[in-house]
Amino acid sequence: MQIHVMAKLQGLVLDIQLLGEIAEFERYDCTVWTPDFVFMKFYVRYNNGLKGYAYGCPLIHGIASSELHLLKLHCKIGVAKGLLGEEEWCYHAISLPWQNEDDEDTDEDPLEEQERFEKSSEDFWFSLKKQQDIKPIRYTPSQNKLHFFLYQGCLIALYRHPHEKQNSWLTNAESFTIYSFLWSKEVLDTLLKEVQQVSIQRHRNKITIFRGFIKRDTVSWVPTKSKPPRSLSTLALPLEIKNGMLNDIEAFLSPKERAFYERRGMPYRRGYLLYGPPGTGKSSMCFAIAGRLWLDIYTVSLNSQKLNEDSLVSLFQSLPRRCIVLLEDVDNAGISQDAHRRMKDPGNTGRVENSRQENELDGAGISLSALLNCIDGVAAQEGRILIMTTNHLEKLDPALIREGRADKRYHFDFVDTMSAKQLFHAFFDKASLFVSSISAEREPNDRSTWEDSISQLSGQFADIVSLGQLTAAEINNYLMGFRDNPEMAVSNALDWVRGRREAPKPAAVAE
Ligand SMILES: Nc1ncnc2c1ncn2[C@@H]1O[C@H](COP(=O)(O)OP(=O)(O)OP(=O)(O)O)[C@@H](O)[C@H]1O
């Protein structure tokens, strides 16, 4: 007998396959695949006497390996003798919950570090070397053993299995089997819910960057890092870009706007194109906006050899409702377009029947038509914000950046006077860590005198560098060389700008 059903458990969608009648126990096996390659398998009571095997959909959010933290805490208390001490280097490349739990707590306060450094730089370097050599020892419930702990008065058992398929993308995966005695589904539900809550708490003040992961038949979004959001105020950009883009996205995400789209049956999506030379803040702006609106970022490399239309469709289909999809250097999608045109050239006998064939012909990356299908085809997720970036506006096919796909375009240009001032201020701001103790000693006691002097210098600096067609990244880099000496930064600026003028420029971006 084979029955296939979809079920919902604690908000997770499970694809359950009932395999047959159970002999001894009333239970079914349920396997939840989590986004970072760990799956959980748990046994719960199934009251009509059938045995089942369930697979969670691969993109369940909320229970990931890094979020099983709580289970580990309980295990620590419950079965100390089952724990296994391991040095960090024993572990695999992909981080597992047992491995990175304390990482956030070990970071020293930068000011204290600086104090130690100033006391004796030699001791400081030596202590860093020691820190690196002495691996933190962490305790984990050992694999292939049963661990018991009490949870809400109920005995729970946890079993960690390494994944048997070695040398595959699952090498670092493991599965967890959680048993509850005596088959209490409610306790398991509560436990898993608590795990989700712990996870939410841990990532509360961070945004997560997911990358499209493609390996053979497996396509999923994999969390690569979680980081505190970058403040928009750290970006030196014209207000029409900074506020303009933020306001536009905020307005789009508002419930009123969503209702407006729904009433008119319009697809509820918005796209942006950020273009300009490298180092002008396109990616930084995307991260800052994501942080401000608490949106996670989903990004995929369009020129990945493994990417084809099917995998891109799958990725787009599995996006959450509220998120930013970041496609960087989107002009790479045009590479396939060029090949496509060449193939269709009248002088060329080759015929391209469909986009899949087109991909095969190109051998690498995604074709333009496939990308367009994903952006606004039926598969495209509603509610998402698409941000495309490019250094080469002139290379983009007009179809990619027409309204509806890129509703707004923002030109990230070389630094103007206002932005140059802002960068200078940010660098020599008294509160900034860049200002070392040397300048602190020199600095006038009166705070306003210091600020006046920086203000005046920033004006002079801005007048010089704004003539030079320089990017914010270049200016930051230049200022790094003078972080103790704002006056020198200004007096050397003219020579630096002249030098840069003679150096080859990044390609200008055609409007
Ligand atoms: N307008 C800006 N204000 C402050 N810092 C900036 C600005 N623009 C760039 N930077 C700094 O320069 C570095 C590179 O910026 P970023 O990656 O955002 O540029 P980009 O335009 O996306 O470049 P690319 O086109 O090469 O991807 C970052 O460290 C960022 O902090």
Side-chain angles (χ1 to χ4, degrees), residues 168-207:
S168 75
W169 66 276
L170 276 172
T171 299
N172 299 308
E174 59 179 313
S175 64
F176 297 85
T177 305
I178 307 170
Y179 307 85
S180 79
F181 301 104
L182 301 163
W183 310 122
S184 166
K185 176 178 175 291
E186 289 70 32
V187 174
L188 284 180
D189 286 351
T190 320
L191 176 64
L192 294 178
K193 205 167 184 183
E194 201 176 326
V195 170
Q196 286 181 316
Q197 286 307 319
V198 169
S199 147
I200 291 164
Q201 285 299 320
R202 291 183 83 202
H203 297 287
R204 202 181 42 186
N205 297 323
K206 293 182 177 158
I207 54 161

Side-chain angles (χ1 to χ4, degrees), residues 121-165:
S121 60
E122 212 172 301
D123 287 353
F124 180 75
W125 299 131
F126 185 63
S127 72
L128 287 192
K129 154 106 179 95
K130 271 199 308 192
Q131 252 173 42
Q132 213 167 310
D133 288 350
I134 302 168
K135 306 288 174 200
I137 294 171
R138 297 195 166 115
Y139 293 92
T140 69
S142 45
Q143 290 186 329
N144 293 320
K145 268 194 194 137
L146 208 51
H147 302 275
F148 296 96
F149 59 95
L150 276 177
Y151 182 74
Q152 296 196 344
C154 180
L155 187 62
I156 305 279
L158 167 75
Y159 197 92
R160 289 179 62 197
H161 321 249
H163 200 275
E164 49 311 323
K165 270 195 200 167

Side-chain angles (χ1 to χ4, degrees), residues 292-401:
R292 176 67 176 263
L293 303 176
W294 294 107
L295 296 168
D296 288 330
I297 293 180
Y298 289 73
T299 183
V300 61
S301 168
L302 290 177
N303 56 358
S304 159
Q305 297 221 347
K306 294 170 205 144
L307 192 68
N308 60 32
E309 183 167 0
D310 291 343
S311 48
L312 195 63
V313 166
S314 270
L315 286 172
F316 268 68
Q317 273 175 335
S318 53
L319 286 168
R321 238 183 118 78
R322 276 186 93 249
C323 70
I324 288 181
V325 184
L326 173 62
L327 299 180
E328 287 188 287
D329 301 324
V330 78
D331 45 286
N332 283 346
I335 296 166
S336 288
Q337 173 70 1
D338 291 344
H340 178 83
R341 283 201 195 106
R342 279 198 306 277
M343 287 303 296
K344 291 203 300 189
D345 194 288
N348 194 327
T349 51
R351 280 180 55 226
V352 179
E353 304 285 341
N354 56 40
S355 56
R356 192 169 310 169
Q357 227 176 330
E358 196 181 334
N359 272 330
E360 280 159 17
L361 287 166
D362 296 335
I366 187 87
S367 71
L368 179 71
S369 56
L371 179 62
L372 298 184
N373 279 346
C374 291
I375 291 177
D376 53 11
V378 278
Q381 177 62 274
E382 301 262 309
R384 56 102 183 113
I385 309 281
L386 173 70
I387 300 183
M388 298 183 276
T389 73
T390 181
N391 301 140
H392 301 284
L393 181 64
E394 74 286 356
K395 283 194 191 170
L396 296 184
D397 194 296
L400 182 63
I401 53 174

Side-chain angles (χ1 to χ4, degrees), residues 230 234-237 277-284 328 391 423 472-473 476:
R230 176 175 185 160
T234 63
L235 286 178
L237 286 169
T280 46
K282 299 179 293 299
S283 313
S284 306
E328 287 188 287
N391 301 140
L423 287 170
N476 277 344

